[in-house]
């Protein structure tokens, strides 16, 4: 069985390599700060903030003209930095929501990165090879390692490498899938499960769990009550009454959802030996729809929580995919990864091998395949 692990070790760089790494970190920082400025601009102009994908496209155009120095670094460095920026915002909005819900936490708005705390870091994906004394990275070539034999050479599938600087020393952190011994005496199949809004859960074997119709009705009611609340004057008795109604509507939605989730998670934990789920905070899953977002987040979180404890009861291993694993953008047939997969596209159509498949099923199969990589 395969699990995800990170390995961090120190690099032994010559001067040229140091310069190259610093240049990559610089490009990542530049892209991050430029993207943050672009998002703030949009916000001030009252427009929706551009996503990592929008920004990367824009940045590629700028490379042709004023940012030609970026051709010297791997395109991954700025691209992954823009993804991090999206994550930083997703994290910020989540914390705001948690604070509003009464959690005693600090909420920090995403900040510009400065060189004050060192040169920073960058992340690369693609062709990464590990040798006993060295690691080979895209664009940077073969870099020597200070510690021999620590990074897993074989039987590991490398998802990404993050190179970072701290006090003049350079490190590399590998995100890998590792094989662990199979749980004893189980003949149940494994599965990947993709969670969504329209469809509650899609299993890689083709089975899916729909959202109960009662949930849709309860959500419609919830939206209506929410509108009533916003129309009532603050502090008035009528507003208090509407708020009580709203709380009840929320409670009802939560209960219906929870009940449906229980049925699905029980069945899955009993019939599978291992299940791969996407990790939480799947950015860009739904945009500009706070209610749907909130419900979806709760659903994802609750689904995972239930599966983890039920998995322990029925000896079903629950694994989480790395949050950068492109489960929706990858072709489950040939492994090709699309640069973009629009939110509205219900079908995955592979331009590489011509495979056509339901979007959610494709994602679920990709998640399941994380268990087989070698
Ligand atoms: Zn394909």
């Amino acid at each position: 069985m395969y699990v995800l692990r990170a390995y961090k070790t120190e690099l032994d760089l010559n001067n040229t390599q140091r310069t190259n790494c610093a240049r990559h970190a610089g490009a990542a920082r530049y892209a991050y700060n430029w993207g943050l400025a672009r998002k703030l601009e949009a916000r001030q102009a009252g427009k929706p903030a551009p996503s990592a994908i929008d920004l990367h496209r824009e940045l590629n155009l700028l490379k042709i003209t004023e940012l030609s120095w970026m051709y010297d670094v791997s395109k991954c460095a700025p691209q992954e930095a823009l993804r991090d920026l999206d994550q930083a915002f997703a994290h910020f909005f989540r914390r705001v929501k948690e604070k509003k819900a009464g959690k005693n936490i600090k909420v920090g708005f995403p900040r510009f990165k400065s060189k004050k705390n060192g040169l920073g870091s960058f992340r690369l994906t693609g062709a990464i090879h590990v040798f006993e004394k060295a690691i080979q990275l895209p664009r940077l070539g073969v870099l020597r390692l200070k510690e021999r034999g620590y990074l897993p050479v074989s039987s590991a599938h490398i998802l990404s490498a993050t190179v970072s600087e701290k006090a003049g020393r350079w490190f590399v952190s590998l995100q890998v899938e590792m094989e662990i011994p199979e749980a004893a005496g189980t003949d149940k199949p494994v599965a990947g499960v993709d969670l969504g809004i329209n469809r509650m859960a899609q299993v890689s074997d083709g089975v899916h769990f729909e959202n109960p119709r009662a949930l849709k009705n309860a959500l419609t009611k919830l939206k209506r009550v929410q509108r009533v609340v916003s129309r009532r004057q603050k502090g008035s008795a009528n507003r208090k009454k509407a708020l009580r109604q709203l709380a009840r509507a929320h409670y009802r939605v939560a209960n219906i959802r929870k009940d449906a989730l229980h049925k699905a998670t029980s069945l899955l934990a009993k019939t599978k030996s291992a299940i791969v789920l996407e990790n939480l905070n799947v950015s860009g899953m739904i945009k500009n729809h706070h209610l749907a977002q909130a419900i979806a987040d709760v659903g994802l979180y609750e689904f995972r929580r239930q599966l983890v404890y039920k998995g322990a009861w029925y000896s079903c291993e629950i694994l989480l995919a790395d949050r950068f694993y492109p489960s929706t953008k990858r072709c489950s047939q040939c492994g090709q990864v699309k640069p973009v997969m629009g939110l509205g596209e219900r079908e995955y159509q592979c331009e590489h091998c011509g495979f056509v498949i339901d979007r959610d099923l494709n994602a679920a199969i990709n998640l399941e395949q994380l268990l087989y990589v070698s």
Side-chain angles (χ1 to χ4, degrees):
M1 161 161 335
Y2 286 83
V3 292
L4 299 167
R5 254 200 84 173
Y7 290 84
K8 188 172 178 177
T9 193
E10 191 172 355
L11 292 165
D12 186 10
L13 304 179
N14 63 30
N15 282 339
T16 313
Q17 290 166 341
R18 281 175 178 272
T19 309
N20 274 339
C21 283
R23 201 173 276 158
H24 274 77
R29 186 175 53 245
Y30 182 93
Y32 189 97
N33 288 342
W34 170 83
L36 178 52
R38 291 284 295 112
K39 279 182 191 272
L40 294 176
E41 257 169 49
R43 220 163 271 274
Q44 262 161 9
K47 289 182 208 150
S51 70
I53 294 159
D54 302 331
L55 290 170
H56 189 236
R57 215 174 281 147
E58 210 179 310
L59 195 68
N60 277 339
L61 291 176
L62 285 175
K63 263 160 85 168
I64 299 168
T65 54
E66 54 204 83
L67 299 179
S68 58
W69 57 270
M70 267 205 191
Y71 284 117
D72 291 343
V73 303
S74 160
K75 66 176 182 358
C76 290
Q79 187 174 18
E80 297 292 311
L82 290 172
R83 279 191 191 149
D84 288 347
L85 178 63
D86 268 13
Q87 284 297 327
F89 271 95
H91 181 71
F92 166 71
F93 290 127
R94 195 171 53 247
R95 302 269 290 180
V96 168
K97 212 181 292 168
E98 282 171 13
K99 198 177 172 88
K100 269 190 193 155
K103 255 198 191 166
N104 185 21
I105 47 169
K106 268 193 190 165
V107 178
F109 193 80
R111 284 159 66 168
F112 288 97
K113 287 186 191 285
S114 85
K115 276 208 274 192
K116 216 169 54 192
N117 301 316
L119 297 172
S121 67
F122 59 92
R123 188 169 58 247
L124 300 175
T125 56
I128 298 164
H129 301 287
V130 176
F131 309 102
E132 217 220 320
K133 303 177 209 169
I135 182 167
Q136 187 179 355
L137 298 176
R139 276 306 180 99
L140 292 161
V142 177
L143 308 175
R144 276 171 51 179
L145 301 168
K146 286 211 169 160
E147 198 176 352
R148 286 179 182 195
Y150 173 66
L151 295 181
V153 177
S154 62
S155 78
H157 179 237
I158 299 162
L159 296 173
S160 67
T162 302
V163 177
S164 59
E165 186 262 3
K166 189 110 196 176
R169 295 158 72 185
W170 286 91
F171 300 87
V172 63
S173 173
L174 280 190
Q175 186 79 30
V176 298
E177 286 158 346
M178 287 295 295
E179 186 171 18
I180 56 161
E182 206 73 38
T186 169
D187 51 2
K188 295 186 289 185
V190 298
V193 175
D194 178 69
L195 302 171
I197 321 297
N198 300 325
R199 194 177 285 165
M200 186 172 75
Q202 172 71 52
V203 188
S204 53
D205 61 11
V207 170
H208 64 257
F209 299 90
E210 294 290 346
N211 279 313
R213 193 167 298 163
L215 182 68
K216 212 179 153 199
N217 297 338
L219 275 172
T220 313
K221 163 112 196 216
L222 177 61
K223 276 182 210 155
R224 202 167 57 228
V225 181
Q226 209 154 40
R227 274 200 302 275
V228 172
V229 169
S230 60
R231 265 187 261 123
R232 297 282 180 264
Q233 203 156 29
K234 280 200 178 136
S236 71
N238 276 334
R239 188 180 159 92
K240 267 188 201 136
K241 195 174 136 198
L243 279 172
R244 270 199 304 276
Q245 273 182 340
L246 182 63
R248 270 203 302 275
H250 266 292
Y251 183 67
R252 193 169 145 67
V253 166
N255 272 345
I256 294 170
R257 178 105 205 194
K258 217 169 181 169
D259 193 51
L261 289 173
H262 269 300
K263 284 185 187 131
T265 52
S266 288
L267 188 70
L268 286 169
K270 280 179 194 166
T271 55
K272 309 290 177 209
S273 63
I275 292 171
V276 188
L277 294 174
E278 58 200 330
N279 212 334
L280 291 180
N281 331 328
V282 185
S283 74
M285 198 160 78
I286 340 142
K287 289 219 169 98
N288 306 324
H289 202 317
H290 297 297
L291 186 60
Q293 178 75 69
I295 302 291
D297 286 350
V298 169
L300 275 168
Y301 186 84
E302 181 63 17
F303 196 95
R304 186 171 110 178
R305 191 188 70 81
Q306 290 182 10
L307 257 190
V308 167
Y309 76 73
K310 288 179 189 179
W313 293 349
Y314 304 112
S315 68
C316 169
E317 191 103 14
I318 309 302
L319 301 158
L320 298 177
D322 180 88
R323 70 190 167 105
F324 302 108
Y325 182 64
S327 57
T328 42
K329 289 185 202 156
R330 182 181 182 272
C331 173
S332 58
Q333 183 93 338
C334 72
Q336 193 81 3
V337 178
K338 281 189 184 198
V340 189
M341 179 77 188
L343 288 173
E345 291 177 58
R346 294 312 309 159
E347 242 177 7
Y348 186 97
Q349 297 180 3
C350 181
E351 281 131 14
H352 191 67
C353 72
F355 190 52
V356 178
I357 184 174
D358 174 79
R359 176 203 180 99
D360 299 343
L361 181 57
N362 182 57
I365 294 172
N366 276 326
L367 288 166
E368 188 198 328
Q369 283 175 357
L370 275 178
L371 290 164
Y372 305 130
V373 198
S374 59

